[in-house]
Amino acid sequence: MKILHLTWEYPPRIIGGISRHIFYLSQELADLGNEVYIITLDFPNTPLEEHLNNVHIYRVKVEFPSYDFLTWVYAFNHFFEKKVAMLSQSYDIIHIHDWLVALAGISLKYFLKKPLLLTLHSIEKGRVGSISSPVSLVIDSIEWWATYEAKKIITTTNFMKQEIISHFKVPDNKIEIIFNGIKVEDFDINVDKIEVKRRLGFSENCKIVLFIGRITEQKGIKYLIEAAPLVLKNNNNVRFVIIGDGWQINEIKQRINDLNLGWAFRLTGHIDDHNLKQILKSSDVLVAPSIYEPFGIVALEGMAAGIPVIVSDIGGFREIVENNVDGLRINPFNVHELASAILSIINNENFATYLVNNAKNKVLKFSWKEVARKTLEVYKSVLEN
Amino acid sequence: MRREELKIEEKILLYLNSSRAYSSDSSKNKNEIATFLNIDLSLLESELEKLKNEGYIEYNDNNIYITDKGIIRLMSRFS
């Protein structure tokens, strides 16, 4: 089968979870004997064209000075259409990921006369809480239009499926759930924990609480900052590492300074995968206090790395983490609950080991091979009908 | 979590990103940016200084371009 994917992010352009999702999905689809074409945005110092084992990646140069984000999105969607036209290939199916590439996907559905498949990794209403600004209204409208034009919609959790049904009034049988995957063997690396802690400027016997994610309201980082003094009051040996970047970064830095906790925190910004895994495997607990999380691949990363995870009792996390069995689920708005969850793991090695062992078994169920096999089934069902 | 208007620093990053000012070869100068965004040069200069200190742009001899880190910072607003 010849599959066309449209996505605004593909490695090394990693903004959220979509980039890795398409990277692994496309490789597994190719391994199953399919030919995958990926149209995406370019990135500095990255080739505009790459061909890896039946995965053909085309990074599109978009030079269109814009003063607002939507104008730029409209522009790059046109550039995507142009790229597909210039390639002059025939495809069996067009697969788009989120609203950002929906306009190009919808046009191409009619130009190429091929079925359109949409994976919704998240929706605007969930990301911002309510559709209360002009920009959100436009994004929400594009999302609705894409759900209407797509022959099938894939989501990554039942939580997302229900959100799409209730918000966009999409029929139940139009939506398929396929969980995200994780490549467990990628986390099977040797790490010198003492050296990693030294690089971070911490003593070798400290305990590390780790956050990985975009520094945005959605990821709930501010609740971890507020929980930190409560944790440190009980255990002064704990240190906090924040990996990621985002528009809320200055606010977060300011709050850490206001609390006089600069000594206990390290903010690394966006770092490469190798360094990320080194820090992950040197940490003692991974915390994801998101207030909206359609899936929560970060929980799988912690589980695969053998680190106990604490996640919010919301959204997709509820379908990944079983509370007190393979991780802890907390109310992120309750910083006392978050602090005591951290301490219950940091101060009790047996409990931490129990959670990690259970999580290691659980995470094996989430494989990209399985994601690809199920996605292929959806493609086939779309083509048969 | 209402989507707020882009701040000046984000508008600068968006302009550099959408113009593909990715390196010194394709960089923009202060006048081009100030004219496009319709802001005073003095305001622009203070914002550029902050962005440079954060590692979101490179800024040498009036050649200004966005870094990988700047692109990811900007896009995180909409992901």
Side-chain angles (χ1 to χ4, degrees):
Chain A
M1 198 180 293
K2 221 165 163 180
I3 305 146
L4 174 64
H5 280 273
L6 304 184
T7 172
W8 86 317
E9 56 171 311
Y10 183 86
R13 189 188 164 86
I14 301 173
I15 316 293
I18 298 175
S19 194
R20 285 192 181 88
H21 176 100
I22 298 175
F23 176 77
Y24 288 114
L25 173 62
S26 58
Q27 287 196 340
E28 295 294 345
L29 284 170
D31 282 352
L32 290 169
N34 302 285
E35 211 171 339
V36 184
Y37 288 75
I38 296 168
I39 308 293
T40 191
L41 285 165
D42 75 338
F43 198 69
N45 306 313
T46 309
L48 291 174
E49 215 174 289
E50 273 183 283
H51 303 275
L52 315 158
N53 174 32
N54 269 348
V55 179
H56 310 281
I57 303 133
Y58 296 92
R59 295 188 178 88
V60 180
K61 283 204 289 190
V62 181
E63 197 170 329
F64 194 89
S66 308
Y67 58 87
D68 74 67
F69 189 76
L70 287 176
T71 308
W72 181 67
V73 170
Y74 275 88
F76 82 64
N77 270 266
H78 284 304
F79 279 75
F80 276 24
E81 292 161 11
K82 181 179 154 190
K83 185 71 195 177
V84 173
M86 285 167 71
L87 287 173
S88 289
Q89 294 278 341
S90 61
Y91 308 95
D92 296 298
I93 202 148
I94 306 161
H95 189 164
I96 59 173
H97 297 262
D98 276 4
W99 71 277
L100 289 141
V101 292
L103 298 172
I106 292 165
S107 300
L108 290 168
K109 166 187 158 178
Y110 290 99
F111 282 130
L112 300 173
K113 297 187 175 27
K114 293 294 172 188
L116 179 69
L117 198 103
L118 164 69
T119 293
L120 274 178
H121 298 265
S122 65
I123 63 171
E124 181 70 356
K125 183 176 168 287
R127 286 189 295 267
V128 298
S130 67
I131 306 300
S132 56
S133 73
V135 173
S136 287
L137 184 63
V138 173
I139 295 171
D140 184 61
S141 303
I142 295 172
E143 284 174 346
W144 173 82
W145 190 15
T147 64
Y148 176 79
E149 294 283 357
K151 202 156 180 185
K152 277 272 184 193
I153 300 162
I154 294 174
T155 67
T156 52
T157 51
N158 187 49
F159 161 76
M160 267 299 288
K161 178 174 176 173
Q162 297 312 319
E163 201 172 37
I164 293 164
I165 290 172
S166 91
H167 186 59
F168 296 120
K169 313 296 174 211
V170 175
D172 184 292
N173 62 3
K174 192 171 175 175
I175 308 174
E176 300 290 340
I177 301 168
I178 303 176
F179 281 152
N180 271 314
I182 184 100
K183 210 162 181 184
V184 178
E185 55 270 34
D186 281 359
F187 293 84
D188 193 16
I189 52 167
N190 288 324
V191 174
D192 182 347
K193 292 185 182 183
I194 294 172
E195 171 56 23
V196 172
K197 286 180 182 177
R198 214 172 274 157
R199 260 193 282 142
L200 289 164
F202 292 148
S203 69
E204 58 189 67
N205 60 344
C206 75
K207 300 282 187 183
I208 294 181
V209 175
L210 178 65
F211 170 95
I212 304 172
R214 291 190 307 280
I215 311 298
T216 60
E217 188 85 17
Q218 182 195 329
K219 298 295 177 185
I221 175 73
K222 68 179 178 186
Y223 303 108
L224 176 60
I225 311 284
E226 298 304 325
L230 304 171
V231 173
L232 289 163
K233 201 171 158 190
N234 181 285
N235 187 335
N236 198 33
N237 202 28
V238 176
R239 299 292 180 268
F240 300 85
V241 178
I242 313 288
I243 299 179
D245 206 343
W247 61 272
Q248 220 189 5
I249 189 80
N250 290 333
E251 199 182 306
I252 292 302
K253 283 181 183 168
Q254 186 59 50
R255 185 60 187 147
I256 292 170
N257 284 339
D258 290 348
L259 291 166
N260 289 319
L261 288 179
W263 57 275
F265 276 85
R266 293 292 177 274
L267 281 74
T268 69
H270 182 78
I271 57 174
D272 62 49
D273 265 11
H274 174 73
N275 278 316
L276 186 146
K277 283 178 189 133
Q278 296 255 325
I279 297 176
L280 179 58
K281 292 205 71 155
S282 304
S283 297
D284 297 279
V285 58
L286 176 73
V287 178
S290 309
I291 56 174
Y292 172 72
E293 200 62 75
F295 183 81
I297 211 160
V298 69
L300 293 185
E301 289 173 344
M303 290 162 123
I307 306 301
V309 296
I310 299 173
V311 299
S312 298
D313 188 19
I314 54 148
F317 282 145
R318 286 183 174 156
E319 294 168 54
I320 302 173
V321 175
E322 191 176 349
N323 194 28
N324 278 315
V325 175
D326 44 40
L328 296 182
R329 292 205 314 256
I330 48 98
N331 171 2
F333 303 108
N334 186 338
V335 294
H336 291 273
E337 193 181 329
L338 175 54
S340 43
I342 291 170
L343 290 166
S344 74
I345 288 173
I346 294 283
N347 293 338
N348 187 344
E349 211 168 293
N350 288 340
F351 183 50
T353 306
Y354 168 78
L355 296 175
V356 165
N357 288 341
N358 289 336
K360 274 189 172 169
N361 289 328
K362 158 84 75 72
V363 81
L364 296 174
K365 294 180 197 163
F366 297 86
S367 83
W368 285 111
K369 214 170 267 311
E370 190 60 9
V371 174
R373 195 187 59 73
K374 288 181 175 166
T375 305
L376 203 55
E377 275 174 26
V378 177
Y379 292 162
K380 285 175 183 164
S381 75
V382 161
L383 292 172
E384 280 162 13
N385 296 314
Chain B
M1 285 199 294
R2 186 178 193 273
R3 280 203 192 279
E4 305 296 340
E5 283 249 325
L6 292 184
K7 296 174 193 158
I8 296 280
E9 77 243 32
E10 290 170 321
K11 287 185 179 175
I12 295 168
L13 292 178
L14 179 60
Y15 174 64
L16 294 173
N17 176 72
S18 60
S19 310
R20 289 191 80 257
Y22 287 168
S23 66
S24 57
D25 295 340
S26 55
S27 62
K28 298 289 172 191
N29 63 47
K30 280 186 272 187
N31 281 332
E32 286 173 285
I33 300 172
T35 305
F36 187 83
L37 297 177
N38 199 19
I39 55 174
D40 283 350
L41 265 180
S42 57
L43 173 61
L44 176 68
E45 278 166 358
S46 70
E47 293 296 333
L48 289 175
E49 206 51 46
K50 281 191 264 174
L51 287 168
K52 187 186 173 184
N53 291 339
E54 301 282 355
Y56 297 133
I57 61 165
E58 285 291 337
Y59 175 14
N60 297 313
D61 303 326
N62 206 12
N63 293 319
I64 302 152
Y65 59 93
I66 193 166
T67 61
D68 297 5
K69 190 177 168 185
I71 295 173
I72 289 163
R73 152 76 156 77
L74 172 69
M75 299 304 157
S76 75
R77 191 70 141 82
F78 290 89
S79 179

